[in-house]
Amino acid sequence: MKKVVAGFLSLTLLASLSISATATEVEAKSPEFMNTAGAIYYDYEPNNNRESANPYSIGGQINGNLDDSNFDYYKFVAEKSGTIRVQFAYARGDKNSSKYQDFWLEIVQNTGPGGTRADYSRHSFDKQVVAGETYYLRAARASYDSSMSNAYSIYTYYLN
């Protein structure tokens, strides 16, 4: 009986470890890229302006790197009207030491300046979007420490 119970527990543990995450990785050039919510998107250069922005869908995660470029742009079309939350993460360091850098992220539309930003002191913000409208996420660095990572992650999701 002990062997049966031990075998059952082992199979249960093995099955729970083999379940994969629901996020999928998607190549930026693939046709299903634009409609893959929950996907992991990577920073493909060049994407330093609106014309060369990488496609993106709300609900996904962006893993990027601000190397020698000033900006990284990601383009999305709102699938529905509502409020989205935008979260931004990067290696900040200590603002009171020499190991410090400040990146920022904002959403801009086809024309006009950006609005609310995520930066060193504010790591997320909410934005009203309208279904069918095109928006751009623009990541940039205000200050930079070459000994620190240039990597960043962006997460978005609908609040309503």
Side-chain angles (χ1 to χ4, degrees):
M1 180 68 171
K2 288 181 182 178
K3 288 183 180 180
V4 171
V5 171
F8 180 72
L9 290 174
S10 296
L11 285 175
T12 304
L13 178 61
L14 181 62
S16 68
L17 292 175
S18 66
I19 296 173
S20 63
T22 58
T24 56
E25 294 184 6
V26 181
E27 288 291 326
K29 307 299 183 213
S30 69
E32 68 273 5
F33 185 83
M34 286 297 290
N35 296 317
T36 311
I40 299 172
Y41 299 84
Y42 292 100
D43 173 24
Y44 288 96
E45 296 296 339
N47 65 335
N48 303 330
N49 55 48
R50 293 177 189 185
E51 292 74 32
S52 62
N54 292 168
Y56 175 69
S57 292
I58 296 172
Q61 170 185 334
I62 297 170
N63 292 332
N65 193 332
L66 280 165
D67 46 22
D68 292 332
S69 65
N70 292 331
F71 301 105
D72 279 347
Y73 280 84
Y74 301 89
K75 176 181 179 178
F76 68 91
V77 176
E79 297 169 12
K80 65 180 186 175
S81 295
T83 303
I84 63 169
R85 173 145 306 148
V86 180
Q87 297 177 315
F88 190 41
Y90 64 94
R92 291 170 177 80
D94 181 1
K95 199 169 190 173
N96 298 316
S97 77
S98 61
K99 291 284 188 193
Y100 163 73
Q101 61 186 3
D102 188 12
F103 290 11
W104 53 265
L105 173 74
E106 65 184 352
I107 293 182
V108 295
Q109 287 184 274
N110 285 330
T111 60
T116 307
R117 289 184 176 186
D119 56 26
Y120 189 89
S121 59
R122 182 179 175 159
H123 309 139
S124 68
F125 62 90
D126 298 343
K127 171 75 174 173
Q128 288 290 125
V129 295
V130 177
E133 293 287 321
T134 300
Y135 298 88
Y136 296 88
L137 291 165
R138 177 170 58 191
R141 61 176 190 235
S143 63
Y144 168 66
D145 182 327
S146 62
S147 68
M148 296 179 70
S149 170
N150 292 326
Y152 62 85
S153 293
I154 301 169
Y155 312 90
T156 62
Y157 53 91
Y158 280 97
L159 293 176
N160 56 15

